[in-house]
Amino acid sequence: MAKVLIATEKPFAAPAVAGIKEIIEKAGFELALLEKYTEKAQLLAAVADVDAIIIRSDKIDAEVMDAAKNLKIVVRAGAGYDNVDLEAATARNIVVMNTPGQNANAVAELVLGLLVYCVRNFYNGKAGSELMGKKLGILAFGNVGRNVARIAKGFGMEVCAYDAYCPADVIEAAGVKAMASQADLFKEADIVSLHIPATAETKQSINYDLCSTMKKGAILINTARKEVIDEAGLLKLMAEREDLKYITDIKPDADADFAKFEGRYFSTPKKMGAQTAEANTNAGLAAANQIVGFIKEGITKFQVNK
């Protein structure tokens, strides 16, 4: 009998756990639960005899994999998977998957919520502005970017996007203007929303030179990954340009320095994009179904370490 572990330092909502349990046990598998653990040793002990692991933001590195002698698959309930050592997993013939799209609407709604909060001057009582008629530039047109475009158009915004890996005709088919380059996106948009992963190519790519081309009064919003921002460069630019604003749901390392730009910077206390009951449940159930499909039928549709 295959054994599946839910290992979550920050637990799923109770309905999500119940749903995962139902899927796993219906498949004839055993479910184990490790929640709110405080030491890595607890995780190392829990993985000793498991065939599969479902995680959220929990780190699965070579040490964890070596402690899990029977491990065949790790599923990150969410889109990002930089908390799993893919190279180590591949070397040990362990499949790693994510659950793309399950959190997309939740993140997209947060983007527009943060933008309303920002353009209304963080509800400080002073007159703000409206989103209608503003040009929103979306960097990366994946599941989240497409949902952001859908909602933004409902606000009456003009939407454009750039994605190095998405054909222009796919972007245009969604009723969104396809930009020729990332540079053009930053130059033309009133607001730029980031939805790129943290890779060797993208880390610190949102830098001083790129952001310095943004329009007067522009807003940069980041609900992607902290690592894509060159914090030193952005701090330098915000000090030079009092018209720029930065909002994010990933607290920067230099949060205290950014906070000095009162009225132009906002960060949520922790990453909030997927923090809805619906997204929580959707991602958990998808992870469970993907594990069952892999173990029973060898389905690897969402494998990220091919």
Side-chain angles (χ1 to χ4, degrees), residues 41-110:
Q42 295 171 272
L43 178 60
L44 295 175
V47 301
D49 61 346
V50 304
D51 299 275
I53 306 174
I54 296 173
I55 58 169
R56 297 187 71 200
S57 298
D58 310 80
K59 294 188 181 300
I60 303 296
D61 57 17
E63 184 181 8
V64 175
M65 295 176 200
D66 287 339
K69 302 300 182 183
N70 300 330
L71 187 61
K72 302 172 183 65
I73 179 172
V74 176
V75 181
R76 151 68 161 127
Y81 46 85
D82 48 346
N83 49 317
V84 182
D85 187 332
L86 299 187
E87 186 175 343
T90 301
R92 292 161 178 76
N93 294 314
I94 296 169
V95 169
V96 181
M97 296 187 190
N98 64 347
T99 60
Q102 302 300 325
N103 300 335
N105 184 70
V107 177
E109 287 190 7
L110 179 68

